[in-house]
Amino acid sequence: MKKILIDGNSLNLEEFINVVRKGYKVKLTEDAVEKVNKARHVVDEFVEDERVVYGITTGFGKFSDVSISKEETKILQKNLIVSHACGVGKPLEQEIVRGIMLLRANALAKGYSGIRLSTLNTLIDMLNEGVHPLIPEKGSLGASGDLAPLSHMVLVMLGEGEAYYKGELLSGKEAMDRAGIPTIELTSKEGLALINGTQVMTSIGALTVYDGINLSKIADIIAALTIEALNGVVDAYDSRVHNIRPHQGQINSAQNLLHLLELSEMTTRQGEIRVQDAYSLRCIPQIHGGSKDALKYVEDKVNIEMNSATDNPLIFEDTQDVISGGNFHGQPMALSFDFLGIALSELANISERRIERLVNPALSDLPAFLAKNGGLNSGFMIVQYSAAALVSENKVLAHPASVDSIPSSANQEDHVSMGTIAARKAREILENTRKVLAMELLTACQAIDLRGKKGLGKGTEIAYNIVRDHLTTIEEDKIMYKEMNACEEIIKSNEILDEIEIKLGRLL
């Protein structure tokens, strides 16, 4: 059985995907076990001595000045979870929930949270055995952590709430019983340790940035097909142009385009048909590249956050210090995920403009709307409408969530990040962008056929053939959403990118 070891310090995006999508098992390292036990020992000492420490022997938020007796600590932790489970909306997808569980376990494995090893292992057992709590998508402010959604995760550990097990939605208790995992009773600090963190926004954002990186490569492939359909001028992708403005994403996209279009007989050089192309062709490296640089920035932030201690207070067992800080505040990720949404929306913006150039007879020498018998057939007219609608929706969604803040907990928590909203918006933008690119893929292949397919490039030939293995040239009007959905499934499957990278090497 494939597995990964977690220690709170070394989880990367690829391992994250292997657990949440491919079902890899998770296990703590021996070093992590030792650190968790040492931090727990500090908490036990503080409780025994009845020292006043936030979240251990006090209430939470505005109630931080209310002392809690040793006898009441278990009640305090359970009350925290049941009162904070205020999520609303549709359930988060299973892979997001798996990511939340993995990231929370990894943060606790750092050994700064004071949780019992047995409680942490219960969470890991749930992940490994496929007990997936029902976690509503809305209700987090992204500061004090993702309190509401994470509380829904913890409910199942207590035998409360609801969870999916082997595709069936069950009560939390029944899901745990069927999986053979004993439910638990929380003790001092544990409830707070489990819900005070940024794991919901980070799970959503990590999946989105991973898919976005792949989609940025696929955008290069689809754009290359459009370049051929429009007899684009390839001089604009010359490495000399990009090396003297050395943004790495720009350089990478230009290199990808030349690699994909190598040996093509459908591209042109300066002056053969026209001196230069419109920006949506000529500036592909600059536009796609800008998004790639943004994606790289967000990926770096995700890698940091995945291996961070984000709860409060933090236990420093070597000095016996317990410090109340603000690592639960999602601002670094809120800004990053807003940036992610903007970067992804731009891939759709330029894709829709390329669709317009393919279907508008005033902008190319192709038949109007790529219809063989225009008038009787509308062809791809409304494909562009649909793409325009999604692009416009993305512009609304790309408005940053992180510029907003509403005070909570009687103004004790007077600035919040809205980072989970930023992550959810970025994921929705990703889905819209993938749909727009699917429309461009379908449109470009149709245009290539109508132009009279000559020799395509080394990479574009692979992409074109995969599309034509699933779909034929449209000779007369047919139900277009089925064609568009089929192209989207091709993109989601990663078939085109995988096949090209197998035959031509890794795209950048």
Side-chain angles (χ1 to χ4, degrees), residues 51 79 129 210 233 450 499:
R51 288 176 55 179
N79 286 350
E129 297 303 318
Y210 179 86
V233 180
L450 293 184
E499 191 66 19

Side-chain angles (χ1 to χ4, degrees), residues 126-144:
M126 290 167 61
L127 178 61
N128 287 339
E129 297 303 318
V131 176
H132 302 128
L134 187 156
I135 302 178
E137 65 178 351
K138 299 179 182 180
S140 175
L141 295 173
S144 287

Side-chain angles (χ1 to χ4, degrees), residues 40 44 73-74 77 116 119 185-191:
R40 181 64 214 178
D44 289 339
T73 55
K74 288 185 178 180
Q77 298 302 315
R116 289 175 300 170
T119 302
E185 184 180 24
L186 298 173
T187 187
S188 49
K189 179 65 166 71
E190 292 194 308

Side-chain angles (χ1 to χ4, degrees), residues 288-403:
H288 285 198
S291 291
K292 286 179 190 232
D293 286 340
L295 288 163
K296 181 65 173 67
Y297 170 84
V298 178
E299 181 187 10
D300 290 344
K301 289 295 184 182
V302 165
N303 281 326
I304 292 170
E305 194 72 2
M306 286 197 304
N307 294 290
S308 296
T310 57
D311 56 300
N312 178 57
L314 294 169
I315 316 295
F316 296 89
E317 56 82 19
D318 54 341
T319 58
Q320 299 277 297
D321 286 323
V322 179
I323 300 176
S324 283
N327 279 4
F328 50 72
H329 202 294
Q331 191 75 0
M333 305 317 298
L335 292 167
S336 297
F337 295 147
D338 279 335
F339 195 18
L340 174 61
I342 292 167
L344 292 170
S345 67
E346 277 301 285
L347 294 177
N349 270 352
I350 189 174
S351 176
E352 184 276 329
R353 288 294 80 200
R354 291 193 295 259
I355 294 170
E356 172 68 4
R357 300 202 78 79
L358 289 165
V359 302
N360 187 340
L363 300 177
S364 79
D365 56 351
L366 291 163
F369 306 111
L370 305 183
K372 283 200 169 181
N373 188 4
L376 178 62
N377 293 305
S378 293
F380 282 64
M381 181 188 296
I382 309 303
V383 174
Q384 186 269 330
Y385 282 43
S386 188
L390 291 175
V391 164
S392 185
E393 183 176 312
N394 279 353
K395 291 171 186 174
V396 175
L397 291 169
H399 178 83
S402 57
V403 298

Side-chain angles (χ1 to χ4, degrees), residues 58 62 98 100 113 147 192 203 215 224 230 251 262 268 343 353 392 405 407:
T58 74
K62 182 62 177 175
R98 289 183 61 77
I100 292 166
S113 301
L147 294 173
L192 196 59
S203 177
L215 196 62
L230 294 171
I251 291 170
E262 189 176 345
T268 61
R353 288 294 80 200
S392 185
S405 178

Side-chain angles (χ1 to χ4, degrees), residues 427-461:
R427 189 161 182 81
E428 194 167 349
I429 290 169
L430 172 83
E431 291 167 359
N432 285 344
T433 298
R434 187 168 53 216
K435 291 181 191 324
V436 174
L437 285 166
M439 296 174 202
E440 184 186 357
L441 178 60
L442 180 68
T443 307
C445 289
Q446 176 80 1
I448 286 168
D449 290 339
L450 293 184
R451 185 170 293 286
K453 176 178 172 282
K454 300 176 184 176
L456 296 178
K458 288 167 61 176
T460 48
E461 180 78 37

